[in-house]
Amino acid sequence: DRIAAAAAYHPGGLVTDAADSPHLQVGAIKASVYVGGACEDSSFTAEQRRVFDEALTRAGVDHVVEEYPARHGWVPADTPVHDVAATERHWQTMLALFARTLG
C-alpha cells in the first residue's frame, strides 16, 4: 500500500520453476511497474519476459515490460557492457514512471 511505483532494469530470476517464483506473486502488487530487460540476458530471457508480462496482465497490474537492445548490466558506467543509449532510455522511462505515479 505504500509503494506507488517500481522499476527493474536488467533483472534476473523473476520467472523460475520454484513455487515462490516472483512471477507467481505479482497478484499482491498495487504499484505501477516498469521492467526493462536486456535482449542478451540469460537470467531474463525473451520467454521469461513474456511469462512475466502475462502474469502482470492477468493480475491487473499497471505495467510495462520492454526489451532493451543491450546486454545484462548495461546501466552502470563502470561495466564492460555499459550502453550509453540504453542507459539514457533507462533514465527516461524511470523518470516518466515516477512523474506519472508520484507527480
Side-chain angles (χ1 to χ4, degrees), residues 59-72:
V61 176
D62 174 40
H63 73 283
V64 172
V65 176
E66 294 185 309
E67 179 181 279
Y68 280 64
R71 295 172 61 196
H72 178 86

Side-chain angles (χ1 to χ4, degrees), residues 20-83:
D20 64 348
S21 176
H23 82 286
L24 301 174
Q25 311 299 318
V26 298
I29 296 174
K30 296 179 182 171
S32 292
V33 174
Y34 180 91
V35 178
C39 65
E40 294 183 40
D41 188 348
S42 61
S43 67
F44 195 54
T45 64
E47 175 65 10
Q48 291 168 331
R49 275 192 302 281
R50 182 190 65 73
V51 169
F52 196 71
D53 183 49
E54 288 176 358
L56 291 167
T57 298
R58 278 192 309 276
V61 176
D62 174 40
H63 73 283
V64 172
V65 176
E66 294 185 309
E67 179 181 279
Y68 280 64
R71 295 172 61 196
H72 178 86
W74 78 83
V75 175
D78 62 346
T79 67
V81 298
H82 177 67
D83 185 297

